[in-house]
Amino acid sequence: MELLAPAKDLDNLKAAFDAGASAVYLGLKNFSARKRAKNFSFEELYTGLKFARSINKKIFVAINTLIYEKEIKELFETLFFLEEVGVDGIIIQDYGVYKIVKDFGISLPLIASTQMATTNSFKAKFLEDLGFKRIILERQLTLKEIEKIRNFVNIELEVFIHGAMCFSLSGLCHFSGQITGKSGNRGECVQPCRWMLEKDSRDKNFYFSMKDLCGISYLKKLKELGIDSIKIEGRLKGIDYTYPVVSAYREILDCLEKNSLYNIKLNQIRERLKNIIQSRELSEGFFKGLFKSDKLIDKNPSAGLYIGKISGVFEKSVYFNTQTELSVGDQIRIVDKYGKERYKIPVKVIYKNKLAVKHAYPKDYIGIPYSGARISNGDKIFLVGRRGTYKFKTLKPISLPENIGYKDKTEIAIKKYESIIFNAQKKTKETILKFDPEKKSYVINGREFYFIPAHIFNENDYRYFSGIKNLLISHPAEAKLLRGPKIYGSFNLYCTNKMAALFFKSLGIEGVSWLPDSGEKGKFLNIFPEIMRWKNIPLFITRVGIKEGDYFLKDRNLKVAVYSPYGFKKL
């Protein structure tokens, strides 16, 4: 079973491999769903790839955002570069990228991002038939659902095993995009699910902030099911997180492979993972089943290891009883009771019994110098950085070969791309629709279209839509599965470039939806006789058992209304 680790830069890549990762996944400066990460230049990727090859390890590159038409040339350059240097696969969300790779003969193994919302075996089989090498499954699947998909397809399957979890089903979140203009589908998510909200204008809390996933207890079962790769999330995190987490999973995987001391080691390593910095409170996610929010929601969502509360502020220092060992060179973060980050402080000296010391131990009452303002008793303190205990040599940069020809290939490809002729409609009709979770159908130009929700996990639920003349689908697999009726794409089917439009058209989809985060409404949409614009689209779709009702972001004058325990109304 492959152990797949995150790498935000070359140092983290080296740390992941040193810790025992079989492969790493990373992003480039553009087209990455983690735009806030440092990410890799072409030269840095080449350097990392040379190192990976020297130790027989793999590198996968994330091209997992929606692509705008104006970015197509840069996309071609990126794809041809990745082909030339020989990465082990690309992780994609946009079906336009899929069609470009296939139609232009680019030799890159394709991996379906979790952003493609693979929630059932029909969707998985659709991707397998398209020629994908691997599918990264939705994080909110249960073990039984994962097993059902595994038994239905022969394609490689990848499962998230550790790290941050999204409140929404992957690829279906519009929370950040709708309230800030920064879309998660473009790698710009500002994580509003981590913000404090008010419930019914009274109780303040972090109602949508998920605990981190720790699925180490399920490794044995996942291996028995035939899962090909387990994935650690964390491209925004540093070596203090990457090295110990990867090391922990490598150790338990080795025990599992050798059938040696597995149960003893499992308990030890599970406890060790609880104390790794840059983590939130841990949960087992959805493996065991669906849970109420108290099992999954972190009411204290600041990343880092909680070590105490401030009990005194004087002489330009903060004082507290530390719950863990602390050393000069570490970093702490002070967070107020509302969860707003105040200051990240380097620990330059530790005061204990009025003496300066280099180390403090659990239960010690200590002071840390701090010269800022607005710190109060009761503010929480988190350990967010350790003085380096893992020692490594930084990889020396390797220049790109002079004869690399990805730019020449790009120029040829762009000419071919621009010559693609559209059979544009004489007149494309545009309809404005308002989403309503209580509605099962919408009228578009006199025809009633039944809406297929994106949260179908049981394939048998598709029987409700057989025999219906007009459908609004949420996944392209549904166009293939439910052939016959007139099919339009809902707001869950993203069409942001010409190649995506041609792909959907080839499936018999006769109309698509346009959203604000779809970029400029290009002429490529005119190949469809119908375009839908939506109002009031859902901010997210989730399986977290959160209570129905109204939640308020007062500082943004925003009300979030939650319908039914697990997302939309049941079919």
Side-chain angles (χ1 to χ4, degrees):
M1 189 189 301
E2 177 185 270
L3 177 57
L4 180 58
K8 74 173 184 179
D9 55 25
L10 276 172
D11 288 346
N12 276 267
L13 178 146
K14 179 72 162 53
F17 284 139
D18 286 353
S22 318
V24 301
Y25 64 102
L26 55 86
L28 299 172
K29 298 299 183 181
N30 288 318
F31 311 131
S32 165
R34 294 292 183 270
K35 201 169 184 176
R36 290 189 292 127
K38 184 178 178 182
N39 291 318
F40 286 68
S41 65
F42 282 2
E43 291 77 11
E44 289 167 337
L45 171 59
Y46 187 68
T47 300
L49 196 58
K50 285 291 185 181
F51 175 70
R53 293 291 179 262
S54 73
I55 56 174
N56 198 29
K57 301 294 179 75
K58 295 179 179 181
I59 290 180
F60 303 110
V61 177
I63 309 291
N64 57 341
T65 61
L66 300 179
I67 310 298
Y68 290 168
E69 188 66 22
K70 64 183 180 182
E71 299 167 329
I72 291 296
K73 182 177 181 179
E74 184 180 0
L75 174 67
F76 269 114
E77 284 189 352
T78 301
L79 295 175
F80 283 126
F81 171 77
L82 296 176
E83 180 188 39
E84 287 213 22
V85 298
V87 298
D88 296 284
I90 59 170
I91 304 165
I92 68 170
Q93 174 187 14
D94 194 318
Y95 285 96
V97 179
Y98 164 81
K99 189 165 176 60
I100 283 175
V101 169
K102 292 298 183 181
D103 287 7
F104 286 78
I106 303 173
S107 299
L108 285 169
L110 294 172
I111 300 170
S113 169
T114 187
Q115 297 289 104
M116 281 188 159
T118 307
T119 59
N120 61 55
S121 58
F122 285 163
K123 294 176 183 178
K125 188 66 171 70
F126 172 76
L127 294 169
E128 181 178 34
D129 290 345
L130 287 179
F132 278 80
K133 175 186 179 181
R134 176 184 292 185
I135 300 169
I136 307 171
L137 294 177
E138 164 58 49
R139 271 175 274 203
Q140 294 188 17
L141 290 174
T142 67
L143 270 178
K144 288 183 179 180
E145 290 164 341
I146 292 171
E147 182 176 12
K148 193 172 184 179
I149 293 172
R150 175 71 289 171
N151 292 336
F152 198 77
V153 296
N154 295 313
I155 192 172
E156 290 182 14
L157 296 180
E158 179 179 308
V159 172
F160 277 95
I161 198 69
H162 196 95
M165 291 194 294
C166 293
F167 183 74
S168 175
L169 300 181
S170 298
L172 302 173
C173 184
H174 298 282
F175 200 176
S176 179
Q178 288 291 298
I179 68 174
T180 70
K182 296 183 181 295
S183 170
N185 287 314
R186 293 278 296 162
E188 300 168 336
C189 180
V190 299
Q191 297 185 318
C193 55
R194 302 289 181 192
W195 297 350
M196 178 173 280
L197 294 96
E198 291 185 21
K199 175 75 168 70
D200 299 325
S201 299
R202 292 190 305 274
D203 301 325
K204 291 183 177 181
N205 221 314
F206 300 94
Y207 292 102
F208 304 150
S209 182
M210 298 286 282
K211 295 177 182 179
D212 280 4
L213 170 66
C214 178
I216 195 165
S217 301
Y218 298 95
L219 284 180
K220 190 173 184 179
K221 179 62 176 177
L222 290 170
K223 183 175 175 60
E224 289 172 354
L225 291 180
I227 297 306
D228 301 277
S229 178
I230 55 167
K231 184 174 195 170
I232 296 168
E233 184 277 339
R235 281 196 286 140
L236 291 173
K237 296 177 181 176
I239 291 171
D240 289 337
Y241 174 89
T242 303
Y243 188 82
V245 172
V246 175
S247 296
Y249 278 89
R250 170 47 60 201
E251 187 174 345
I252 196 63
L253 276 175
D254 288 347
C255 289
L256 188 58
E257 294 285 346
K258 299 172 184 176
N259 198 23
S260 172
L261 302 174
Y262 175 75
N263 290 328
I264 295 173
K265 282 287 186 182
L266 180 62
N267 291 328
Q268 293 174 353
I269 293 173
R270 191 191 292 116
E271 288 302 310
R272 202 163 86 204
L273 286 169
K274 291 179 181 178
N275 293 313
I276 289 176
I277 61 174
Q278 298 188 33
S279 290
R280 300 176 181 85
E281 186 178 349
L282 300 177
S283 79
E284 294 185 339
F286 294 84
F287 287 122
K288 197 182 293 185
L290 305 183
F291 298 104
K292 293 183 179 179
S293 60
D294 60 343
K295 296 282 187 180
L296 296 166
I297 297 298
D298 187 357
K299 301 297 177 65
N300 190 23
S302 182
L305 180 63
Y306 174 74
I307 61 172
K309 288 183 180 180
I310 294 176
S311 59
V313 182
F314 49 92
E315 295 182 354
K316 295 184 178 180
S317 295
V318 296
Y319 284 81
F320 61 99
N321 286 100
T322 180
Q323 295 184 9
T324 190
E325 184 176 344
L326 200 63
S327 301
V328 170
D330 293 344
Q331 286 190 322
I332 61 173
R333 175 186 291 141
I334 298 176
V335 180
D336 70 8
K337 62 182 179 181
Y338 299 111
K340 181 179 179 182
E341 180 178 333
R342 287 294 184 87
Y343 291 99
K344 194 174 182 179
I345 304 171
V347 180
K348 296 180 179 180
V349 66
I350 299 172
Y351 294 116
K352 180 181 175 183
N353 297 326
K354 297 184 178 181
L355 297 175
V357 298
K358 291 185 177 181
H359 303 283
Y361 301 93
K363 298 183 180 180
D364 283 351
Y365 186 69
I366 61 174
I368 305 294
Y370 165 72
S371 58
R374 297 188 305 162
I375 294 297
S376 305
N377 287 349
D379 286 356
K380 296 174 181 179
I381 301 175
F382 296 84
L383 178 63
V384 295
R386 285 278 191 200
R387 185 184 60 174
T389 53
Y390 155 67
K391 304 296 182 183
F392 67 98
K393 290 184 179 180
T394 300
L395 295 174
K396 294 181 180 180
I398 300 175
S399 299
L400 295 176
E402 291 184 3
N403 62 347
I404 195 164
Y406 67 94
K407 290 189 176 180
D408 292 337
K409 290 182 178 179
T410 298
E411 293 304 319
I412 295 170
I414 284 294
K415 289 179 181 178
K416 178 182 175 182
Y417 181 85
E418 291 175 345
S419 70
I420 296 173
I421 299 174
F422 277 103
N423 293 318
Q425 299 290 316
K426 292 181 179 179
K427 186 176 181 181
T428 296
K429 297 177 181 178
E430 198 168 293
T431 302
I432 297 176
L433 299 172
K434 184 178 180 180
F435 176 75
D436 182 346
E438 303 286 348
K439 292 179 68 172
K440 293 183 178 179
S441 63
Y442 297 84
V443 175
I444 303 173
N445 284 323
R447 293 192 181 98
E448 185 179 26
F449 281 75
Y450 278 79
F451 184 93
I452 303 180
H455 69 290
I456 291 182
F457 295 86
N458 186 342
E459 301 81 355
N460 292 330
D461 287 342
Y462 284 119
R463 71 182 186 274
Y464 293 108
F465 302 100
S466 63
I468 294 176
K469 292 183 178 180
N470 306 307
L471 292 172
L472 277 166
I473 66 172
S474 291
H475 192 281
E478 293 155 2
K480 185 176 181 181
L481 176 66
L482 301 165
R483 288 183 182 276
K486 183 178 284 291
I487 292 177
Y488 289 172
S490 76
F491 50 79
N492 293 314
L493 201 72
Y494 306 120
C495 187
T496 60
N497 56 72
K498 181 163 68 174
M499 297 305 277
L502 290 172
F503 175 76
F504 294 142
K505 187 77 172 177
S506 71
L507 296 176
I509 297 171
E510 299 181 48
V512 294
S513 296
W514 183 86
L515 297 172
D517 62 357
S518 298
E520 295 180 7
K521 189 162 71 81
K523 292 181 180 179
F524 58 85
L525 291 176
N526 292 337
I527 66 170
F528 299 103
E530 192 78 52
I531 299 172
M532 284 72 66
R533 288 177 179 263
W534 292 83
K535 294 181 179 180
N536 195 44
I537 63 171
L539 297 180
F540 41 69
I541 305 169
T542 186
R543 300 183 97 182
V544 179
I546 189 170
K547 292 181 180 179
E548 293 186 47
D550 295 334
Y551 296 77
F552 298 88
L553 271 171
K554 285 294 184 64
D555 59 341
R556 292 181 179 268
N557 194 29
L558 177 72
K559 181 179 78 172
V560 180
V562 174
Y563 297 88
S564 86
Y566 303 111
F568 298 141
K569 294 293 182 185
K570 294 181 180 179
L571 293 173

